[in-house]
Amino acid sequence: MPKLVIDGGYPLSGSVRIGGAKNAVLPILAASLLAESGVSQIEDVPHLLDVRNMIEVIASLGARVERRGTTVRIQASHIHSVEPPQDLVRRMRASFVVAGPLLARFKEASISLPGGCKIGNRPVDLHIKGFEAMGATAHTENGFVHLQAPREGLRGARIYLDIPSVGATQNIMMAAVLAKGQTIIENAAKEPENVDLANYLNAMGARVRGAGTDMIRIDGVDSLHGAVHTVIPDRIEAGTFLVAGALLGTGVYVENAVSQHMMSVIAKLEEAGARFEDKVDGIQVWPAERGRLSSIDVKTHFYPSYPTDMQAQMVAALSVAAGTSTVTETVFENRFLHVGELQRMGANIHVEGRTAVIEGVDRLSGALVTATDLRAGAALVIAGLLAEGQTEVLGLHHIDRGYDNLVSKFQQLGGRIKRLETPMEESDAESA
């Protein structure tokens, strides 16, 4: 069982480069299934477990995928299946975004319903509602949702999303690019990753306007072709390093970070006392002049508000801030699983419903902790870098889903962190 070993308390300095956004590249890989001709070339694709899983999903359908470094080439003209294997889909909830491309191009799709999620309920009903508005029928049987478009194909529709779901916006957008007529998505998710997807679709020959606003218009076209596209930088990875630099840095430069994508994170860290300089190709961060962040109140919400994916990292940071802070989670109902692990390190946090009340302590202490989800893992790494003594972090498969070379990037900033691939103990082997 692999683990991270962190010796805390050492300052961070230097430069770290942010890779392509996980939450952008996954739907972009799925969208490549829409290309009837040509080859798609996707640049700045991070080496992540979720990316590997999505590549396996589209390859299982017949796409020819070649990866070299951070470049992925996809040829999707000979797709032979509209039903990705159940075991692949259940590994990763984001796999459901292949439904829109398959339904649009082949007029049918059969997708295993995604499994449960530790951080909260993420149903696909909004995706299906959008498909049905465009004329598709849907029925669920034996854990699969079977989608069927009319013989003449999907038709444009006006679709209102009850909440601005990122996944539903992406899936409906991809289904609509080949629909007859115009589709309008109202109350659409505004995330930069959806803008990136729209840009890729347009490079393939689609006609998508308004991505990044709450109303997206898509005029259907007859067919799409392969295209070359570079994925936007990962704003959550960038935010993770900005938080670490605000706590431990003597000046950390986060290269390739786009400040316009993370204004709420920067604003909250500035409110707590961190200092920033926005540069042409990145962001420089320094800790507060007084050496310790001040307490603040944070509430997660849909973009452009403070992102739920940066909640755990901020909780870790505020655990050593001066005074009492509150962090309220409005997006997911069960996203404070990291609190118990931070408490093992000496954090003074108690959860009241959807709000964590954090009494800042002078220091954290190293401990054995376990990542319960992707962003919780990042929070524990930050806490370990802060803590006195040695911290060991288990549950690295969560971190591997969304952070490319996290250990080496912190090492190049001066962090005392290493990954050990320890052999499984006998009890672990018996339960595997």
Side-chain angles (χ1 to χ4, degrees):
M1 179 183 300
K3 64 180 178 181
L4 299 181
V5 179
I6 308 169
D7 292 312
Y10 292 90
L12 303 178
S13 64
S15 175
V16 61
R17 187 183 187 279
I18 300 305
K22 174 182 84 81
N23 292 335
V25 74
L26 298 179
I28 284 171
L29 290 171
S32 299
L33 296 171
L34 289 161
E36 294 183 20
S37 62
V39 176
S40 291
Q41 181 166 307
I42 315 301
E43 304 283 358
D44 212 1
V45 177
H47 290 274
L48 302 173
L49 185 58
D50 278 7
V51 171
R52 187 194 315 162
N53 286 340
M54 183 60 83
I55 288 174
E56 288 186 40
V57 168
I58 64 174
S60 74
L61 301 173
R64 296 176 60 184
V65 186
E66 174 187 325
R67 174 159 199 164
R68 293 184 180 177
T70 58
T71 298
V72 175
R73 291 170 57 84
I74 304 160
Q75 210 273 353
S77 57
H78 300 293
I79 300 300
H80 57 66
S81 174
V82 294
E83 184 178 315
Q86 184 176 20
D87 64 313
L88 291 180
V89 175
R90 289 186 65 83
R91 283 186 207 168
M92 182 181 65
R93 295 187 57 82
S95 303
F96 197 78
V97 294
V98 301
L102 292 174
L103 183 62
R105 183 175 166 192
F106 301 103
K107 300 183 178 61
E108 61 177 330
S110 293
I111 314 289
S112 173
L113 288 169
C117 180
K118 284 187 176 182
I119 64 173
N121 192 27
R122 293 195 265 187
V124 296
D125 56 332
L126 291 180
H127 305 235
I128 295 171
K129 173 184 173 182
F131 298 150
E132 289 177 334
M134 289 186 279
T137 58
H139 74 277
T140 302
E141 184 179 17
N142 299 325
F144 279 75
V145 58
H146 302 281
L147 301 164
Q148 184 75 50
R151 182 178 303 175
E152 64 275 12
L154 297 174
R155 58 179 181 270
R158 195 177 192 101
I159 300 164
Y160 178 85
L161 298 180
D162 294 330
I163 61 170
S165 163
V166 174
T169 300
Q170 294 168 348
N171 234 342
I172 295 168
M173 193 191 314
M174 289 187 282
V177 293
L178 295 180
K180 304 291 190 295
Q182 185 179 80
T183 297
I184 298 175
I185 307 173
E186 296 181 294
N187 199 30
K190 304 174 185 178
E191 275 74 0
E193 293 80 10
N194 285 9
V195 177
D196 205 33
L197 173 61
N199 289 339
Y200 176 56
L201 291 170
N202 286 339
M204 298 174 74
R207 298 177 62 190
V208 182
R209 295 172 293 157
T213 74
D214 60 3
M215 183 176 292
I216 301 175
R217 290 179 169 84
I218 306 108
D219 292 301
V221 298
D222 292 334
S223 64
L224 298 182
H225 52 76
V228 177
H229 181 79
T230 299
V231 180
I232 60 170
D234 194 312
R235 62 192 171 100
I236 306 302
E237 182 191 12
T240 300
F241 281 100
L242 288 178
V243 168
L247 291 164
L248 286 159
T250 57
V252 170
Y253 183 58
V254 184
E255 181 185 350
N256 204 34
V258 181
S259 61
Q260 290 85 352
H261 293 172
M262 47 197 310
M263 296 303 292
S264 60
V265 174
I266 293 172
K268 279 299 174 183
L269 287 172
E270 282 185 324
E271 183 182 339
R275 295 166 292 151
F276 295 88
E277 183 179 348
D278 192 7
K279 298 187 177 182
V280 173
D281 57 353
I283 304 169
Q284 185 85 26
V285 58
W286 296 270
E289 289 185 357
R290 54 191 170 275
R292 188 179 182 188
L293 295 181
S294 300
S295 59
I296 56 172
D297 298 321
V298 178
K299 179 182 286 189
T300 69
H301 205 55
F302 302 111
Y303 187 87
S305 296
Y306 191 89
T308 181
D309 280 352
M310 282 298 302
Q311 179 253 98
Q313 300 91 312
M314 184 63 84
V315 169
L318 295 176
S319 69
V320 293
T324 302
S325 302
T326 63
V327 176
T328 301
E329 173 60 57
T330 72
V331 180
F332 293 116
E333 66 272 17
N334 193 30
R335 205 166 195 178
F336 284 126
L337 297 177
H338 48 281
V339 166
E341 301 302 300
L342 291 171
Q343 288 170 337
R344 290 172 57 83
M345 302 178 72
N348 185 358
I349 308 170
H350 65 276
V351 177
E352 301 174 356
R354 288 199 168 199
T355 297
V357 180
I358 307 161
E359 301 284 351
V361 297
D362 292 336
R363 61 184 179 275
L364 299 176
S365 300
L368 175 63
V369 293
T370 301
T372 54
D373 61 71
L374 169 56
R375 307 307 173 184
L380 295 178
V381 170
I382 291 172
L385 292 166
L386 276 170
E388 286 188 355
Q390 190 171 89
T391 297
E392 295 186 5
V393 183
L394 305 179
L396 302 193
H397 59 286
H398 292 296
I399 296 174
D400 293 341
R401 288 185 46 231
Y403 288 94
D404 188 0
N405 294 318
L406 184 70
V407 169
S408 62
K409 288 181 178 180
F410 272 120
Q411 286 175 338
Q412 73 188 55
L413 294 176
R416 304 290 181 91
I417 177 173
K418 58 186 176 182
R419 180 171 179 142
L420 298 181
E421 303 291 338
T422 57
M424 291 179 68
E425 296 180 0
E426 185 175 345
S427 60
D428 295 326
E430 290 175 352
S431 63

